[in-house]
Amino acid sequence: MELNKLDSFKLFESVFNNSGIAIALVHSSGKLLNVNKFFCDWLGYSKEEMLNMTFAQFTHGEDVDADVELYQDLIEGTRDYYQMEKRYITKS
């Protein structure tokens, strides 16, 4: 069964909003475009606060360079995805 665009969007939206994992949509500049409730609750920031941040602002300082390098590779198309363990900075 093939999903049409509207059904695909609704499915993505449901997974995004109801997921038990943190999800952020990030612009190529590093600015957050959207975050789910789980991510906000996990880090303690409101959605509005997070949408005014870049991912580097809530990534531990010692992890930023590696994250930025991998992210840049992704944006440039030299890798299809990346995975890393990193530390986050919570609001508290």
Side-chain angles (χ1 to χ4, degrees):
M1 180 175 121
E2 189 172 321
L3 295 175
N4 63 40
K5 288 182 181 182
L6 180 59
D7 289 339
S8 293
F9 176 78
K10 287 179 181 180
L11 178 60
F12 172 79
E13 185 177 47
S14 178
V15 170
F16 184 87
N17 291 327
N18 299 302
S19 182
I21 60 169
I23 302 173
L25 301 178
V26 183
H27 186 271
S28 60
S29 68
K31 184 166 173 44
L32 299 176
L33 299 172
N34 202 358
V35 291
N36 68 351
K37 183 177 181 334
F38 188 91
F39 207 178
C40 294
D41 292 346
W42 185 49
L43 294 182
Y45 297 102
S46 70
K47 184 172 185 171
E48 292 74 26
E49 289 172 312
M50 291 195 77
L51 294 180
N52 286 302
M53 301 171 81
T54 66
F55 70 86
Q57 291 175 280
F58 55 82
T59 299
H60 189 281
E62 294 176 8
D63 298 336
V64 171
D65 288 344
D67 198 8
V68 168
E69 184 177 327
L70 291 167
Y71 187 70
Q72 190 63 39
D73 288 349
L74 186 70
I75 297 305
E76 292 172 359
T78 58
R79 69 173 57 243
D80 295 327
Y81 69 93
Y82 74 93
Q83 179 178 331
M84 68 178 287
E85 283 190 33
K86 68 178 189 177
R87 297 162 285 181
Y88 289 94
I89 301 168
T90 64
K91 186 173 181 176
S92 62

